Every structure is written in C-alpha cells, then in structure tokens.
Amino acid sequence: MRRLKTAFIGTGFMGKVHADAIRRLGNVELAAVASATAAEAQAFASSQGIPTATGDYRQILADPSIDAVHILTPNALHFPMTMAALEAGKSVLCEKPLCVTSAEAQKMLDAAEQRKLAHCVEHNLRYYPVVQQVRRMIEAGELGEVLIVQGTYSQDWLLYDTDWNWRIEAGENGPLRAMGDIGSHWMDLIQHVTGLKISALCADLQTFHRTRKRPRGAVETFTAKTKTHADTVDVPVDTEDFGAVLLRLGGRARGAFTVSQMSAGCKNKFAIEVYGTKCGAAWNQERPDELWIGHRNTPNQLIVKDPSLLLPAAASYADLPGGHGEGYDDTHKQNFRRFYARVADPSAPVEYPTFADGLLGMHLLEKVHESAQKQAWVTV
Ligand code: SOE
C-alpha cells in the first residue's frame, strides 16, 4: 500500500493512544503534531519521536505532504479544526463525539463529501473481534429477531468533586458529558451490531456534583485519581454525571442503558446484552476477548476470541491467534487500517464509521437532551 503521512492535532490521552496504534499500521508516518502551545507539542513530539511540532495547527494544514489529520482536541474544537483541515484538502479522522451540534456535524459531512475526502469518526469500540462476531451472528440470523438490548457504559474516574477534566464544562465539551463521551459509543455500537436504528427514547440525566473543584492547569484524562491539587477553584457543573435511557429500536425491539462516570470500581465497563428469538449474546469490554452466548434449552456458551474459530468477517478484526489477548489499543489499529486504506485508494470500501455515523450520533445526543429536559419520550 502507498506510504502516507499523517499529523495529530491534540496531545492528551487520545494523542498517546492514536500514536501507538498508527505506528503499528506500518505504512503511515506520524510526521507532525500540534497542541495548544508549542511547548506541549514539543514535549509530545520528543517523547514520541515525531519530527515536527507546533503550537499552531494551521502550520500542519499548510504542509502539502500531509495526507490526513487526526482531531484529538476537546469537542468544541472538532468543528472548526475539521473544517479547516478539509479546506486544506486533508482527509480527517475525528474523535467522538463528532462535534457539539448536529448542525455542525451536517456541515462537516457535507464539506468532506463535496471535496471527496475520507472522513471517519473514531467509534473504535466496534472493532473488538468478538463484538464483530455478534454483529455477524445477528446478520446471519443466528440470534433470530432481536427483541431486547440492555447495557451500560460505567466508569469511576469522576467520582469525587475533586476529580476534574475538560469534559466537565459544557463550553469545551458540549451540553452532554457522560452521554456524549461514553453514551455516544453505546448507542453507536448497539446500532452497528444489531443493524437496528434507535427510533424513540426517554432519558433521565443527573448531575450529582453541582460544584466541582477545578485545578488551575489542565488534567489529562484518567491520570489524576490519587493526585490532590493544592490550588483549586470551585466551579458550577453544567454537564451530567449519570444518565439512564429507555429505547425503542427498529420495528418492535426495546431496550435500556445507563452511563456513569461515578460508579466506584467500574474502570471502563462497557457492556451490551442482545436477546433474540433464538438466543442471547453478552459482552463486557473489561473482558474483551470473551463472548457469552445464552440458550434457552441447551447449555450456555463462553466463546473465547480465536480467529480460526470466528465467522470469517469477524476474524478479519483479529491479528493474533486465540489465547493472545487483543484489546482497546487494537480496536484503534483495526479502524485506522481500514480508514487509511481508503485515504490511499478512494475506491477502497468504507469499512469504518464516517461523519454520517457521527451526524446520527449528534442527532441522538440532541434527542437525549430534549427528552431529559421535557421528561418525556421523543421520537428520533
Ligand atoms: C474517557 O471517558 C474515555 O477515554 C472516552 O473518551 C473514550 O471514548 C472511551 O473509550 C474510554 O474513556
């Protein structure tokens, strides 16, 4: 495959994860990085061995040798940075949620399509091999008609009022925090796996800490659990810590899920259960290679990832044999591989989530917000 050059805008937790995964593709060079300040960019570049670092992302966009950019900044910056990158002729891979409003998402999609540039929203969690196995089993009719979906995305890293991250403030994050950050993954994945679209929902949101202690200075995602910050300022919180959503999907399926960033002990508990007329399937990200299949009249099964035993379309998401764990990092790699195949060759299949998926995600988040405010069901 053609060799490509990419650049990152943003150097936080996601910058590190993306840098690691991109290097494992083999044909994509991480050539430049931009951050909010030149010093931050330089520190990241030195630690990662990246040749170019800048505090001004427009310098990266002006470099004609760069094929694509990854937008890894707080959500409110996704829209202006993506639009500038597309205008500069770059393909764009943007972290989720795609942006802050569906109106922005529509403009991003239109701009990418008009310029015939590859566009991707990073719903990487679709690409665990056994998640793909459930998807393909459903497609092949092995679960029967999907009747019920259930699950959660629960974390504990924002349990205390002393926990802080840029996502807490709506100005940087958008109005929905737990729903936008992790609920967006849950809704994307359940629709991807079942092939059913969410048609109506009823949401209840709660902000347990109405005030939090913001440290002076940035705190990287997940890094500060046991740190105490001497110098903090009390700020009112305008985003939710918890959400519960009832769902209708497709013709007659029903479901429910919760999201939480305050559930003690849940590190990254992303769990789905899908029950059909023939059997059920359940998966939890904290045990990424295991898939439970539930039967009514025969013993239940616990399937362990082994590409030689998975359905062929699912096996293509596993690079290692059974017993060799593949996890979170690998899902990014699988998504990047397919996105960059398309950047290299515009006739390659689109086997990754696009801005159209990101737009649907933004519509759903707006519906969650509307439903929670009205305290009522809303149709999508
Ligand atoms: C923080 O909640 C976070 O890093 C999310 O932003 C990611 O999308 C999720 O996969 C892990 O948790």
Side-chain angles (χ1 to χ4, degrees), residues 13 96 153 155 157 167 181-182 185 221-222 268 328:
F13 171 54
K96 42 48 56 184
Y153 200 146
Q155 304 173 328
W157 64 294
R167 291 175 179 80
D181 187 31
I182 48 182
H185 274 314
T221 307
F222 288 129
N268 209 21
Y328 180 77

